[in-house]
């Protein structure tokens, strides 16, 4: 999903929201992700195992959550090669109900601008039901 024309550093301001998306995840998506990633940990598909280790139930893979969040920035930037750095902390799991799905809300804002280097730091607020699931999620994007 492309958000429109490629962003330009001169058109941006610190604090400006540049992208927003809600991403649904259900158990079928977790199974597909497990197959693609090779991460078959049963906490991502078996409620009994997940609750036995203290989780609220099956949870999304952390790497899926991280990837879903950065996809918002990639679409805004128009090219995955523009993302120079991406880091985050996992703060809470994303419980995925059965039946149904969890909804991950991602809001991307400009955190810093380096006009000389042609880069921006994009800060990501990533939450489920208003509770942050990723902390200090930041990507550095080259826009020139």
């Amino acid at each position: 999903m492309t958000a429109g024309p490629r962003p330009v550093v001169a058109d941006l301001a610190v604090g400006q929201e540049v992208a927003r998306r809600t991403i649904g995840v259900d158990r079928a998506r977790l199974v597909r992700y497990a197959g693609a990633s090779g991460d078959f940990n049963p906490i991502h598909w078996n409620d009994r195992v997940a609750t036995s280790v203290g989780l609220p139930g099956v949870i999304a893979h952390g790497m899926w959550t991280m990837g879903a969040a950065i996809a918002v920035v990639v679409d805004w930037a128009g090219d995955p090669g523009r993302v120079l750095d991406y880091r985050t902390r996992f703060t809470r799991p994303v419980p995925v109900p059965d039946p149904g799905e969890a909804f991950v809300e991602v809001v991307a804002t400009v955190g810093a601008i380096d006009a000389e280097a042609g880069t921006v730091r994009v800060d990501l607020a990533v939450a489920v039901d208003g509770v942050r699931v990723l902390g200090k999620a930041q990507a550095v994007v080259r826009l020139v």
Side-chain angles (χ1 to χ4, degrees):
M1 177 188 314
T2 302
R6 288 186 168 186
V8 177
V9 173
D11 295 341
L12 299 173
V14 172
Q16 178 181 352
E17 182 179 311
V18 294
R20 174 184 293 260
R21 183 178 307 156
T22 300
I23 304 154
V25 57
D26 60 10
R27 299 284 178 98
R29 183 172 288 211
L30 295 183
V31 169
R32 290 190 302 273
Y33 184 84
S37 69
D39 181 351
F40 295 101
N41 187 322
I43 64 171
H44 303 304
W45 56 270
N46 184 309
D47 280 307
R48 183 183 49 75
V49 172
T51 57
S52 77
V53 297
L55 295 168
V58 165
I59 62 169
H61 301 74
M63 290 294 121
W64 177 86
T65 306
M66 191 175 175
I70 195 62
V72 175
V73 175
V74 168
D75 289 347
W76 168 75
D79 179 353
R82 291 176 163 223
V83 178
L84 305 179
D85 185 54
Y86 176 43
R87 53 189 71 201
T88 191
R89 294 185 181 138
F90 299 102
T91 57
R92 296 204 193 286
V94 175
V96 180
D98 183 30
E101 60 187 320
F103 294 97
V104 178
E105 177 74 24
V106 180
V107 179
T109 58
V110 176
I113 299 171
D114 184 338
E116 187 174 312
T119 61
V120 297
R121 189 189 77 224
V122 178
D123 297 341
L124 297 167
V126 184
V128 173
D129 294 329
V131 177
R132 285 201 180 210
V133 295
L134 295 181
K136 200 155 174 79
Q138 299 177 329
V140 176
V141 181
R142 182 179 312 281
L143 296 179
V144 293

